[in-house]
Amino acid sequence: MVGGTEKTSPDGRGRRRQGELEMQVLTALGSAPGPVTAAWVQEQLGGDLAYTTVITILTRLYAKRAVSRTRAGRSFEWTPMADGAGLVAMRMRKLLDNQEDRDAVLSSFVSSLSSRDEQLLRSLLNEADDPER
């Protein structure tokens, strides 16, 4: 670890840890009574993370448009723009946007779904097509 943040190892564990921390921060923000400081987030996470790590995670989430921030004195107050599911959806969309053959990617994704997930996806697509539902 460097400066309270975990470097990405060749097996990708650092990125997985980063994603877990982002989800934890979003969950904490989701339970906040309103805009909160990084110190508040740090406290909600049990105080185990360095303050600089919390700031780094919040800044990354801000760059991903998963949180917003407003100036509060010399610091910022943070507000969630997305929950954990929204963050994962943004990641999926970003990955899809970077592919040349979107049809192949989507086809491969859909064909790998369990029958339960496929039925859920069909239901969600039907709801999106029929706003009267």
Side-chain angles (χ1 to χ4, degrees):
M1 271 217 268
V2 176
T5 58
E6 188 172 305
K7 291 240 177 207
T8 302
S9 59
D11 63 2
R13 283 184 288 178
R15 288 199 192 278
R16 181 175 25 209
R17 174 82 171 137
Q18 176 183 323
E20 291 168 7
L21 291 174
E22 288 176 350
M23 293 291 194
Q24 290 173 2
V25 167
L26 282 174
T27 299
L29 285 173
S31 70
V36 293
T37 64
W40 186 92
V41 173
Q42 180 189 28
E43 184 179 308
Q44 297 305 303
L45 298 176
D48 294 336
L49 291 177
Y51 180 79
T52 54
T53 301
V54 175
I55 290 291
T56 298
I57 295 165
L58 286 166
T59 302
R60 287 180 180 155
L61 289 169
Y62 178 75
K64 295 175 181 180
R65 298 186 176 135
V67 300
S68 66
R69 66 184 185 191
T70 54
R71 184 62 75 180
R74 293 177 31 194
S75 186
F76 289 105
E77 289 185 329
W78 304 85
T79 306
M81 302 285 289
D83 59 6
L87 182 61
V88 172
M90 282 189 278
R91 286 184 186 146
M92 291 170 61
R93 177 62 188 259
K94 184 177 179 182
L95 288 170
L96 185 60
D97 287 346
N98 290 328
Q99 299 302 310
E100 287 183 29
D101 191 349
R102 294 172 70 92
D103 291 352
V105 173
L106 286 171
S107 177
S108 180
F109 175 74
V110 170
S111 67
S112 69
L113 292 175
S114 69
S115 58
R116 181 173 177 253
D117 287 343
E118 182 181 343
Q119 186 58 41
L120 175 59
L121 181 59
R122 286 181 193 281
S123 175
L124 293 170
L125 290 170
N126 286 336
E127 286 178 23
D129 285 342
D130 185 7
E132 298 291 321
R133 290 177 90 184

